[in-house]
Structures are given as structure tokens and as C-alpha cells.
């Protein structure tokens, strides 16, 4: 009986730990869910719409090996919550950090972007693509830099 109680206690503790893990809305949404949300919102005539504070950020001239960061402010100017399902840089050197929770109509949120210039001498232009529940299903912005080669 004691062994069974310990087993049940362990199972209960494990379930409680898993159930309490904080996940964002974006972590739980699949591509199929995004399509369904887009379709439902389009039928209702309510769509999320994105406005960025800038389309391109130019870091100017930086030294090779520098890691630089910027922020793009995204505003939802649509009629339904904006969901950013996924954010990807055009290469591994560009890392976006989008908000994890939906952005309400009229609200804004930052998207942090870092660029690692190691091994990237010369003129650089990288893009960030967001999978969203907007009409297009995706949005994009860019970063640029002139990377001065490291001394050899």
C-alpha cells in the first residue's frame, strides 16, 4: 500500500509540474491553426494588420565579429489580435525575438533582432520573415551593415 501511495504521489507531482509549465500562445499554434484563424477572421471581416516603425535598420559600419542589436516596433492596426507564429532570419547570423503573446488591435510590441558579423565581411543585408495571421500570412523587414574585415 505504501509503495502504491508513493507511486501515485510521484505521478501527481509529475503531472502538476508539466501542467504548470508556462508556454506562450505562439508555442502551441500549428500552421493549420494559423490557416483556420486567418479563414475565420476573413469571414468575420476582422483581420490583423501590421505596421512597422521602420522597414530597414542600417547598423552602418561595424567591425567583423561584433554582435549588434536593434528593435523593430510592430503595431497591430487591424481589427483582430495579431499572432506572430514564427520569426526567422535569412541566415543563422540574424536572430529575431518576437513577442510570444498576441498583440491586441491598436497595441504595439518590440521585436528584438541581433546580428552576428563573425565571418561576414563586406556589405550585408539580411531579412527577417514573420509568419502571422495577417492577410498575406507573412510580414518582412530587413537589417543592413557594412562589416569591416578583421585583421589577419
Amino acid at each position: 500500500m505504501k509503495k502504491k501511495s508513493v507511486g501515485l504521489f510521484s505521478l501527481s507531482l509529475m503531472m502538476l509540474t508539466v501542467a504548470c509549465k508556462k508556454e506562450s500562445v505562439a508555442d502551441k499554434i500549428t500552421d493549420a491553426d494559423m490557416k483556420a484563424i486567418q479563414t475565420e477572421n476573413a469571414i468575420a471581416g476582422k483581420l490583423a494588420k501590421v505596421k512597422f516603425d521602420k522597414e530597414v535598420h542600417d547598423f552602418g559600419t561595424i567591425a567583423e565579429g561584433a554582435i549588434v542589436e536593434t528593435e523593430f516596433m510592430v503595431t497591430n492596426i487591424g481589427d483582430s489580435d495579431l499572432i506572430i507564429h514564427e520569426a526567422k532570419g535569412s541566415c543563422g547570423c540574424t536572430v529575431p525575438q518576437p513577442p510570444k503573446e498576441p498583440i491586441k488591435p491598436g497595441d504595439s510590441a518590440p521585436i528584438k533582432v541581433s546580428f552576428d558579423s563573425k565571418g561576414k565581411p563586406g556589405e550585408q543585408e539580411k531579412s527577417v520573415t514573420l509568419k502571422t495571421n495577417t492577410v498575406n500570412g507573412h510580414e518582412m523587414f530587413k537589417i543592413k551593415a557594412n562589416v569591416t574585415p578583421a585583421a589577419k
Side-chain angles (χ1 to χ4, degrees), residues 50-73:
V50 168
K51 179 182 174 197
F52 294 109
D53 64 336
K54 56 190 171 187
E55 298 289 325
V56 178
H57 178 81
D58 190 345
F59 288 108
T61 301
I62 62 173
E64 183 178 354
I67 298 174
V68 291
E69 294 183 347
T70 189
E71 224 175 57
F72 286 79
M73 191 60 72

Short mmCIF file of all heavy atoms in Angstrom, two decimals, residues 50-73:
data_model
loop_
_atom_site.label_atom_id
_atom_site.label_comp_id
_atom_site.label_asym_id
_atom_site.label_seq_id
_atom_site.Cartn_x
_atom_site.Cartn_y
_atom_site.Cartn_z
N VAL A 50 -0.32 44.64 -39.89
CA VAL A 50 0.94 45.04 -39.28
C VAL A 50 1.43 46.37 -39.82
O VAL A 50 1.35 46.65 -41.02
CB VAL A 50 2.01 43.95 -39.56
CG1 VAL A 50 3.40 44.43 -39.21
CG2 VAL A 50 1.68 42.68 -38.81
N LYS A 51 1.96 47.17 -38.90
CA LYS A 51 2.67 48.40 -39.28
C LYS A 51 3.96 48.41 -38.48
O LYS A 51 3.93 48.29 -37.25
CB LYS A 51 1.84 49.63 -38.95
CG LYS A 51 2.56 50.93 -39.30
CD LYS A 51 1.72 52.13 -38.92
CE LYS A 51 2.54 53.39 -39.14
NZ LYS A 51 1.96 54.53 -38.44
N PHE A 52 5.11 48.51 -39.17
CA PHE A 52 6.41 48.59 -38.51
C PHE A 52 6.83 50.05 -38.37
O PHE A 52 6.48 50.87 -39.21
CB PHE A 52 7.48 47.84 -39.32
CG PHE A 52 7.27 46.36 -39.39
CD1 PHE A 52 6.88 45.76 -40.57
CD2 PHE A 52 7.47 45.56 -38.27
CE1 PHE A 52 6.68 44.39 -40.64
CE2 PHE A 52 7.27 44.19 -38.33
CZ PHE A 52 6.88 43.60 -39.52
N ASP A 53 7.61 50.34 -37.34
CA ASP A 53 8.14 51.70 -37.19
C ASP A 53 9.21 51.98 -38.24
O ASP A 53 9.50 53.14 -38.53
CB ASP A 53 8.68 51.94 -35.78
CG ASP A 53 9.88 51.06 -35.43
OD1 ASP A 53 10.05 49.98 -36.01
OD2 ASP A 53 10.65 51.46 -34.53
N LYS A 54 9.79 50.93 -38.83
CA LYS A 54 10.78 51.05 -39.90
C LYS A 54 10.81 49.73 -40.66
O LYS A 54 10.51 48.68 -40.11
CB LYS A 54 12.16 51.38 -39.35
CG LYS A 54 12.66 50.36 -38.32
CD LYS A 54 13.91 50.82 -37.61
CE LYS A 54 14.23 49.87 -36.45
NZ LYS A 54 15.32 50.34 -35.63
N GLU A 55 11.11 49.79 -41.94
CA GLU A 55 11.19 48.58 -42.77
C GLU A 55 12.61 48.03 -42.82
O GLU A 55 12.83 46.84 -43.05
CB GLU A 55 10.71 48.87 -44.19
CG GLU A 55 9.26 49.31 -44.27
CD GLU A 55 8.27 48.20 -43.98
OE1 GLU A 55 8.55 47.04 -44.36
OE2 GLU A 55 7.22 48.49 -43.37
N VAL A 56 13.60 48.94 -42.62
CA VAL A 56 15.02 48.57 -42.70
C VAL A 56 15.76 49.26 -41.57
O VAL A 56 15.51 50.44 -41.29
CB VAL A 56 15.64 49.01 -44.05
CG1 VAL A 56 17.13 48.67 -44.11
CG2 VAL A 56 14.90 48.38 -45.23
N HIS A 57 16.68 48.52 -40.94
CA HIS A 57 17.59 49.15 -39.97
C HIS A 57 19.01 48.98 -40.49
O HIS A 57 19.44 47.87 -40.78
CB HIS A 57 17.48 48.51 -38.59
CG HIS A 57 18.45 49.12 -37.62
ND1 HIS A 57 18.20 50.30 -36.98
CD2 HIS A 57 19.68 48.72 -37.22
CE1 HIS A 57 19.24 50.60 -36.22
NE2 HIS A 57 20.16 49.66 -36.35
N ASP A 58 19.74 50.09 -40.61
CA ASP A 58 21.12 50.07 -41.08
C ASP A 58 22.04 50.28 -39.88
O ASP A 58 22.02 51.33 -39.25
CB ASP A 58 21.34 51.17 -42.12
CG ASP A 58 22.67 51.05 -42.84
OD1 ASP A 58 23.57 50.31 -42.35
OD2 ASP A 58 22.83 51.70 -43.89
N PHE A 59 22.84 49.27 -39.56
CA PHE A 59 23.80 49.36 -38.46
C PHE A 59 25.00 50.24 -38.82
O PHE A 59 25.80 50.57 -37.95
CB PHE A 59 24.29 47.98 -38.05
CG PHE A 59 23.26 47.14 -37.34
CD1 PHE A 59 22.68 46.05 -37.97
CD2 PHE A 59 22.87 47.44 -36.04
CE1 PHE A 59 21.74 45.27 -37.31
CE2 PHE A 59 21.93 46.67 -35.38
CZ PHE A 59 21.36 45.58 -36.02
N GLY A 60 25.13 50.59 -40.09
CA GLY A 60 26.28 51.37 -40.52
C GLY A 60 27.51 50.48 -40.63
O GLY A 60 27.41 49.29 -40.92
N THR A 61 28.68 51.04 -40.35
CA THR A 61 29.93 50.28 -40.42
C THR A 61 30.24 49.69 -39.05
O THR A 61 30.28 50.41 -38.04
CB THR A 61 31.09 51.19 -40.87
OG1 THR A 61 30.75 51.73 -42.16
CG2 THR A 61 32.38 50.42 -40.98
N ILE A 62 30.44 48.37 -39.02
CA ILE A 62 30.78 47.66 -37.79
C ILE A 62 31.98 46.77 -38.05
O ILE A 62 32.26 46.41 -39.20
CB ILE A 62 29.59 46.83 -37.26
CG1 ILE A 62 29.16 45.75 -38.25
CG2 ILE A 62 28.41 47.73 -36.89
CD1 ILE A 62 28.11 44.78 -37.72
N ALA A 63 32.68 46.40 -37.00
CA ALA A 63 33.85 45.53 -37.12
C ALA A 63 33.40 44.07 -37.20
O ALA A 63 32.45 43.67 -36.52
CB ALA A 63 34.77 45.72 -35.92
N GLU A 64 34.08 43.30 -38.03
CA GLU A 64 33.78 41.87 -38.13
C GLU A 64 33.94 41.23 -36.76
O GLU A 64 34.90 41.49 -36.05
CB GLU A 64 34.72 41.20 -39.13
CG GLU A 64 34.41 39.73 -39.34
CD GLU A 64 35.29 39.06 -40.38
OE1 GLU A 64 36.09 39.74 -41.04
OE2 GLU A 64 35.17 37.84 -40.52
N GLY A 65 32.98 40.42 -36.39
CA GLY A 65 32.97 39.76 -35.08
C GLY A 65 32.05 40.44 -34.08
O GLY A 65 31.71 39.86 -33.06
N ALA A 66 31.64 41.67 -34.39
CA ALA A 66 30.73 42.39 -33.48
C ALA A 66 29.33 41.78 -33.56
O ALA A 66 28.88 41.34 -34.62
CB ALA A 66 30.66 43.86 -33.85
N ILE A 67 28.67 41.75 -32.42
CA ILE A 67 27.26 41.34 -32.37
C ILE A 67 26.47 42.60 -32.03
O ILE A 67 26.68 43.21 -30.99
CB ILE A 67 27.02 40.24 -31.32
CG1 ILE A 67 27.82 38.98 -31.68
CG2 ILE A 67 25.52 39.93 -31.21
CD1 ILE A 67 27.77 37.89 -30.63
N VAL A 68 25.60 42.99 -32.95
CA VAL A 68 24.82 44.21 -32.78
C VAL A 68 23.34 43.87 -32.67
O VAL A 68 22.90 42.83 -33.16
CB VAL A 68 25.08 45.20 -33.94
CG1 VAL A 68 26.50 45.76 -33.86
CG2 VAL A 68 24.85 44.54 -35.29
N GLU A 69 22.60 44.74 -32.02
CA GLU A 69 21.16 44.51 -31.80
C GLU A 69 20.37 45.76 -32.13
O GLU A 69 20.87 46.88 -32.01
CB GLU A 69 20.90 44.12 -30.35
CG GLU A 69 21.48 42.81 -29.95
CD GLU A 69 21.13 42.43 -28.50
OE1 GLU A 69 20.65 43.30 -27.75
OE2 GLU A 69 21.33 41.26 -28.15
N THR A 70 19.14 45.54 -32.54
CA THR A 70 18.20 46.63 -32.75
C THR A 70 16.81 46.13 -32.39
O THR A 70 16.62 44.95 -32.07
CB THR A 70 18.24 47.15 -34.21
OG1 THR A 70 17.45 48.35 -34.30
CG2 THR A 70 17.71 46.11 -35.19
N GLU A 71 15.85 47.02 -32.46
CA GLU A 71 14.47 46.69 -32.15
C GLU A 71 13.57 47.26 -33.24
O GLU A 71 13.75 48.41 -33.64
CB GLU A 71 14.11 47.31 -30.81
CG GLU A 71 13.35 46.43 -29.89
CD GLU A 71 13.14 47.09 -28.53
OE1 GLU A 71 12.57 48.19 -28.47
OE2 GLU A 71 13.55 46.46 -27.54
N PHE A 72 12.66 46.46 -33.70
CA PHE A 72 11.61 46.92 -34.61
C PHE A 72 10.33 46.95 -33.80
O PHE A 72 10.00 45.98 -33.12
CB PHE A 72 11.44 45.95 -35.80
CG PHE A 72 12.54 46.03 -36.81
CD1 PHE A 72 13.76 45.40 -36.58
CD2 PHE A 72 12.37 46.72 -37.99
CE1 PHE A 72 14.78 45.46 -37.51
CE2 PHE A 72 13.38 46.79 -38.94
CZ PHE A 72 14.59 46.15 -38.70
N MET A 73 9.61 48.05 -33.86
CA MET A 73 8.34 48.14 -33.14
C MET A 73 7.22 47.76 -34.12
O MET A 73 7.09 48.34 -35.19
CB MET A 73 8.12 49.55 -32.61
CG MET A 73 6.97 49.66 -31.64
SD MET A 73 7.13 48.63 -30.17
CE MET A 73 8.39 49.47 -29.26
#
